[in-house]
Amino acid sequence: IDSLIKTYTDFPEDNRTRRDILSLMREMRDVRSLPVLVKALEWRAEINEDQAIAAAQTLKNLTLDPAQTTQVVTALGVALDKVEGRRPTDAQMRTEFMSALGATKSHAAVAPLMRLALRLDEDQDFAFNVRAFQVLAPLTTAEDIPNLIKGLFLFAPGRPQFRVHDSAQIGLVGVG
């Protein structure tokens, strides 16, 4: 694994080999591959987005200690914040990054998910706002109540019938 990590990090221009390494890491499901997976989340548009997606998919299946979880949540949050646009790849990245954040079961994942959930942007389909609230609902605590309340009143621009309120209610009920 150490050799694979070194190869992945030392040769960023060799996308074919990097894809193969990520594929191998996905099959191995070894937490020692974390440096590669975190590095893959540093994606660039139309260069290595597929690697970031593969890393997020792999991260969902790893058992991490608290320090590793913090590192992963931070990397996933940065990767998710960079996603702009309405391309199919953008949609897949949002989906996989959200899912991986939820899989951490960490309250730290609430912040990046909430940023996405409350973001109203023409480059983001409103369905991602709804999905973000669904993913973050089980992770919320009492400190998240103000943002969950915002979700009760959040609707798609120009389409007030498309709302988030059901998902926000689930989060509020979970908090108690």
Side-chain angles (χ1 to χ4, degrees):
I1 284 187
D2 292 336
S3 296
L4 292 170
I5 292 169
K6 183 168 176 40
T7 301
Y8 190 91
T9 56
D10 289 353
F11 300 98
E13 68 283 349
D14 188 357
N15 277 323
R16 179 182 163 96
T17 300
R18 292 177 110 206
R19 282 186 195 100
D20 291 343
I21 289 171
L22 277 169
S23 177
L24 184 59
M25 298 292 182
R26 180 186 292 172
E27 290 177 29
M28 292 170 56
R29 295 182 183 188
D30 191 323
V31 75
R32 293 177 297 170
S33 66
L34 197 57
V36 166
L37 301 173
V38 169
K39 186 69 175 168
L41 292 172
E42 298 172 9
W43 63 273
R44 293 182 307 164
E46 300 188 23
I47 304 291
N48 61 343
E49 295 152 321
D50 60 328
Q51 293 174 37
I53 291 166
Q57 291 169 337
T58 304
L59 286 165
K60 290 187 281 190
N61 297 310
L62 296 182
T63 303
L64 306 171
D65 66 34
Q68 293 167 328
T69 299
T70 300
Q71 179 185 16
V72 165
V73 167
T74 301
L76 284 165
V78 169
L80 181 60
D81 289 342
K82 284 175 43 178
V83 180
E84 297 178 353
R86 296 179 78 88
R87 302 172 304 147
T89 301
D90 298 321
Q92 188 176 11
M93 284 193 295
R94 282 187 184 104
T95 300
E96 295 300 339
F97 297 161
M98 281 191 294
S99 180
L101 281 164
T104 67
K105 297 185 178 10
S106 170
H107 183 262
V110 170
L113 287 167
M114 194 63 78
R115 284 193 301 271
L116 179 68
L118 296 175
R119 180 181 171 205
L120 294 175
D121 190 326
E122 63 185 38
D123 288 336
Q124 176 178 296
D125 189 317
F126 192 74
F128 290 109
N129 299 73
V130 174
R131 181 66 184 134
F133 268 102
Q134 291 169 343
V135 172
L136 68 82
L139 308 175
T140 55
T141 62
E143 70 187 51
D144 304 310
I145 289 174
N147 285 327
L148 291 169
I149 290 172
K150 288 178 188 176
L152 294 175
F153 303 98
L154 193 66
F155 60 88
R159 294 177 29 210
Q161 70 279 9
F162 195 24
R163 307 179 75 77
V164 175
H165 65 283
D166 291 343
S167 300
Q169 287 174 355
I170 292 169
L172 285 167
V173 168
V175 169

